[in-house]
Amino acid sequence: MKILGISFGKKNANTDILVKEALFGCREAAPDAQISFINTCSLNIGRCRGCGACSTALEKGKNDNVCIFKDDFQALEEQVREADCLIVGAPVYVLQPVGQFKDFVDRFSCRHDYSAITWIMDKRRNGEMPGDPDGFPMERLKKRTVSYISVGGATTDNWTSMGTATLHFFGFPPMMKVMGNYNANSMGTVGNPLLDDQMISDMHEMGRRTVEGYNDDSAEFFQPSSKPAGVCPVCHQRLITVNPGTTTVECPVCGIEGKLRIENDEIKVDFSEEQQARARGTFAGLREHTTEIQSFGSICGPKIMANKEKLDKLMKERIKGFDTAINNK
């Protein structure tokens, strides 16, 4: 078994400490595992440029969909590909994790989208797309478990409210099983995580649970008693999106609908089994998105071609020639 801890925080600071303590918990559950830790601060991971090369490579018959821009992304991606269990931590400076995390996820997700990749392989098998239907390196999509740690200074946890929610973006395209998410706020008063025995104990238990979840599909998500329980039964976040005029709410992380009700002055949300089965981290949820994305060409293509002359003129005069157009009095 290979276990990987990734910290997007300052070297040897709070995020590093918490991720490493969770890895000690992993070690307790897997004495013979190969455990590695990476701090990404010194890595050069550029943003996704939306070139589409990785998305179209498989459609053109290639057996891989590598990112064509070379920096330190590939080295970190390779470590993730090899891992069976992961602990991912990131500091929160403004409501959600640092930008480097999102830059990595934007480039990682499209290359490891379980539904999109298998959709293309099925098309190949049906003769609808070129390429070897068994050519893609499917070990990229192997079973993995992951737990998330969001780290912030504020004693009011709503200043880090988007922390663990955003960290979930990493695992759902390749359908990683989430075993825990921990909002380690209050670092401004705690001083150092090593001074908070309960927090360290929680890290060890979350690490143990991450390994347990890999070995046992029935293992339960780790909900620390020191933290409030979540609302969504899938991602265990407390965020909901309200649809005005109805009692229907959505989990913005999982994309599933629930029904809001008040019981003994307490807010309750009921998510049906059917809705839970189509959460973003499930194959059904990912396939909904794949189907939507694949429909764009048939909708936008004819629209663009029908207005080609108009678009060419406006693009030339107003967009490519913006500096001239905006100052033309």
Side-chain angles (χ1 to χ4, degrees), residues 91-136:
V92 171
Y93 300 141
V94 184
L95 295 185
Q96 62 179 216
V98 290
Q100 189 192 44
F101 166 79
K102 189 58 164 58
D103 285 339
F104 177 74
V105 167
D106 284 345
R107 292 172 65 184
F108 178 84
S109 297
C110 53
R111 299 195 54 233
H112 299 78
D113 186 315
Y114 197 102
S115 172
I117 291 167
T118 54
W119 185 88
I120 291 174
M121 296 304 117
D122 288 343
K123 290 285 185 180
R124 289 183 179 184
R125 291 186 180 90
N126 295 334
E128 300 174 55
M129 283 187 175
D132 178 3
D134 299 311
F136 185 81

Side-chain angles (χ1 to χ4, degrees), residues 188-209:
T189 54
V190 170
N192 186 304
L194 295 172
L195 299 175
D196 189 324
D197 292 342
Q198 182 60 59
M199 184 177 293
I200 296 302
S201 175
D202 287 343
M203 290 301 102
H204 282 235
E205 179 58 31
M206 190 164 68
R208 285 194 294 267
R209 199 72 62 90

Side-chain angles (χ1 to χ4, degrees), residues 122-165:
D122 288 343
K123 290 285 185 180
R124 289 183 179 184
R125 291 186 180 90
N126 295 334
E128 300 174 55
M129 283 187 175
D132 178 3
D134 299 311
F136 185 81
M138 292 301 290
E139 76 275 4
R140 286 191 189 167
L141 305 177
K142 68 180 183 179
K143 174 184 177 181
R144 296 183 183 90
T145 55
V146 62
S147 290
Y148 302 119
I149 307 168
S150 166
V151 185
T155 55
T156 48
D157 67 1
N158 61 29
W159 275 102
T160 54
S161 60
M162 303 291 289
T164 55

